[in-house]
Amino acid sequence: MTDTSSSIRRRFDRTGIMLAGLCALHCVATVVLVSALGVGGHFLLSPEIHRIGLALALIVAAVAIGWGALKHRRAAPFVTAMMGLTFMGGALAMPHGMGEAVLTIIGVSLVTIGHLLNMRPFLKRD
């Protein structure tokens, strides 16, 4: 692969890591703000935010992790990210609250690890 395509893939991985961080921040902020202050529930708990976030995560992960899997022929980044996306999808089926936040944070953590593994082509092959 050319340096340009590798650079683009790395940008997708970085975008995925940034989205995962924003998602985790959203989860923590929602629990803290809604619990402590009783404000922001109408916006922060909106199901659309979660659906859009998962859709963005799916698109970015599909491009970055899929591209990396084709290039590096390693299963670990793909499997780790897909497990994370599964947790995130499962969180959508839960009612808002601590359970949903925990599943989402586990999911975004795994997706982030998948992106980090994907960015490190020198790691030992699976």
Side-chain angles (χ1 to χ4, degrees):
M1 236 180 232
T2 68
D3 287 338
T4 303
S5 62
S6 182
S7 174
I8 293 169
R9 184 187 51 80
R10 291 177 71 79
R11 285 186 190 142
F12 269 97
D13 280 320
R14 287 185 184 116
T15 300
I17 292 167
M18 181 191 68
L19 285 173
L22 288 173
C23 184
L25 180 66
H26 166 79
C27 288
V28 172
T30 299
V31 170
V32 169
L33 287 175
V34 172
S35 298
L37 305 174
V39 299
H42 65 282
F43 175 70
L44 293 173
L45 294 175
S46 172
E48 288 76 30
I49 289 176
H50 299 107
R51 288 186 198 114
I52 291 168
L54 181 59
L56 286 172
L58 284 168
I59 292 166
V60 170
V63 172
I65 302 294
W67 197 342
L70 291 173
K71 180 180 180 192
H72 304 301
R73 306 256 188 250
R74 293 183 302 129
F78 180 80
V79 171
T80 305
M82 292 308 116
M83 283 188 341
L85 291 169
T86 301
F87 272 97
M88 291 170 67
L92 285 177
M94 305 255 323
H96 291 298
M98 190 59 73
E100 176 198 25
V102 168
L103 285 179
T104 301
I105 290 172
I106 290 169
V108 298
S109 297
L110 288 169
V111 170
T112 299
I113 292 168
H115 282 294
L116 289 170
L117 290 171
N118 199 41
M119 290 175 66
R120 302 178 79 66
F122 54 85
L123 290 177
K124 184 177 169 184
R125 288 185 178 232
D126 299 315

